[in-house]
Amino acid sequence: MRIPPTTRETRYTAEAHLRSVVSPLRPDIPAHAVTIETDERGLWSAQIFGVEQSLQSPGESLYSEVLDRLSHWHPIYDREEMAALLTTLKIIAPKAGVAIPPGALKLIELPAGVLVLTLNDRAVVASEDPLHLLSQAVLRLRARQDGAR
């Protein structure tokens, strides 16, 4: 008799499947940023950089909702606006004592206008408000830098 897989194994298998769903639609999102977390009710939360994209019972509806969100999504911010936000951060960060390695920062937009700032493909901060994103980015980058010392 086969022993049924544990919830943990099933979740990781589902996470791998979700990554394969996201990758063709958003190649700019690293695979490690796509995760599935379980809440206290046993529902699965499909997340990209920790930002929830779907909350469902385990199954195809989870993938379908994420696929639908990503395939019907249209960016709110254009390339110039995204570049301006990154440039602004690169200007104010050194004045706040934060060193940013060249090419390490990226700004990614997710559905619903959520901006995610990453450092070396790891999320630093996510926000729907660009000003909040900038201020939190400086605070968190400084905290990371101070913690590394």
Side-chain angles (χ1 to χ4, degrees):
M1 181 173 136
R2 185 176 181 287
I3 299 171
T6 66
T7 302
R8 182 180 186 108
E9 290 170 331
T10 303
R11 185 171 64 90
Y12 288 118
T13 302
E15 198 169 81
H17 180 70
L18 182 61
R19 288 174 177 159
S20 71
V21 167
V22 170
S23 180
L25 293 171
R26 293 294 304 269
D28 60 324
I29 297 174
H32 69 80
V34 180
T35 58
I36 294 178
E37 301 297 328
T38 306
D39 77 356
E40 64 280 352
R41 298 167 295 178
L43 295 175
W44 284 2
S45 171
Q47 300 179 4
I48 299 175
F49 287 115
V51 178
E52 188 170 272
Q53 302 300 310
S54 177
L55 182 64
Q56 299 277 339
S57 297
E60 282 301 315
S61 59
L62 183 80
Y63 311 123
S64 297
E65 185 173 344
V66 173
L67 180 64
D68 186 56
R69 286 187 71 152
L70 292 176
S71 60
H72 293 100
W73 166 75
H74 298 285
I76 294 172
Y77 301 95
D78 61 31
R79 290 180 198 259
E80 292 80 24
E81 292 169 323
M82 299 282 276
L85 285 169
L86 275 176
T87 300
T88 302
L89 181 59
K90 290 175 185 176
I91 291 169
I92 62 175
K95 293 178 183 356
V98 176
I100 300 173
L105 286 180
K106 281 192 214 168
L107 193 56
I108 297 171
E109 185 178 356
L110 298 177
V114 175
L115 296 171
V116 180
L117 180 75
T118 66
L119 178 67
N120 298 322
D121 287 333
R122 301 286 177 191
V124 174
V125 63
S127 180
E128 295 172 6
D129 179 355
L131 293 176
H132 179 258
L133 179 104
L134 291 174
S135 66
Q136 288 300 301
V138 170
L139 291 173
R140 291 184 186 180
L141 288 168
R142 185 173 22 196
R144 279 188 184 185
Q145 185 174 296
D146 292 346
R149 290 180 187 173

